[in-house]
Amino acid sequence: NTMQGRFFVDTDCWVLEKTMKESPNRPMYEEWVRQGWLHVCPGEVFDSTYAINRIAEVVQAGVNIMYFGYDPAQNAQPINQLKAWLQTLFQQRGEASMKQLAETIQHMVVPVSQTAMTQNPRIGELEHMILEKEPWLNFSANPMIPFCFGNCAAEANSSDLRRIVKGGPQPTHKIDFVHALLDALYCFDLSENRVSE
């Protein structure tokens, strides 16, 4: 299938208060917080309530979120909290039975493997979308986007399948946005029936 349409890309990022204090990137992070691009989660452990409250704000502002992609190798607690919030949201709207709600949420909250098998096709799509004569992606002015792109590289395995990695060992190198964008492309391909769950 050929992709249709043009896409606007932005990111909503969080950093732990403890991480920010200890990071060599602290001056840059503080500037991004001041400009409103980066949110700080108090304490030493990320409280997913902050992210869910932010998602609720975005939904209330009229954004229709079709999928939530997540790394299945990470802590399950934030995903369980997200599913609980979605269930409450849909119940408040009076949508469907409990069984239908569970199926809908299971369909919306999608594990996305961070392997080369999953990322390789998305890297190809991303290259195509960026390198077109008229690029398909319109990026926001968020300074974290070029920062993360500048820190990443594509690593090929013995089968020539690529995945995104840090371009160097420096602790200042962060590539989270690029991973999130590949996850979003996977979810988009899922919505377009180019991959199956």
Side-chain angles (χ1 to χ4, degrees), residues 155-168:
E155 174 185 81
N157 65 17
S158 58
S159 301
D160 283 333
L161 297 176
R162 297 175 296 170
R163 69 183 187 97
I164 292 298
V165 295
K166 289 184 180 181

Side-chain angles (χ1 to χ4, degrees), residues 118-166:
T118 300
Q119 287 194 353
N120 187 68
R122 270 67 285 154
I123 292 170
E125 288 173 16
L126 186 57
E127 288 171 335
H128 170 76
M129 295 170 102
I130 290 172
L131 297 175
E132 276 289 294
K133 188 174 180 182
E134 292 183 26
W136 288 44
L137 299 180
N138 177 20
F139 292 97
S140 81
N142 191 320
M144 284 179 278
I145 295 175
F147 173 73
C148 287
F149 267 117
N151 289 331
C152 73
E155 174 185 81
N157 65 17
S158 58
S159 301
D160 283 333
L161 297 176
R162 297 175 296 170
R163 69 183 187 97
I164 292 298
V165 295
K166 289 184 180 181

Side-chain angles (χ1 to χ4, degrees), residues 8-12 52-68 85-86 89-90 93 95 108:
F8 176 73
V9 181
D10 198 6
T11 182
D12 203 89
I52 289 170
N53 288 343
R54 177 67 181 134
I55 292 168
E57 284 176 24
V58 169
V59 168
Q60 195 168 11
V63 174
N64 180 23
I65 301 175
M66 296 176 62
Y67 289 94
F68 294 88
W85 173 77
L86 285 170
L89 177 69
F90 292 146
R93 293 177 178 174
E95 295 182 19
M108 285 181 72

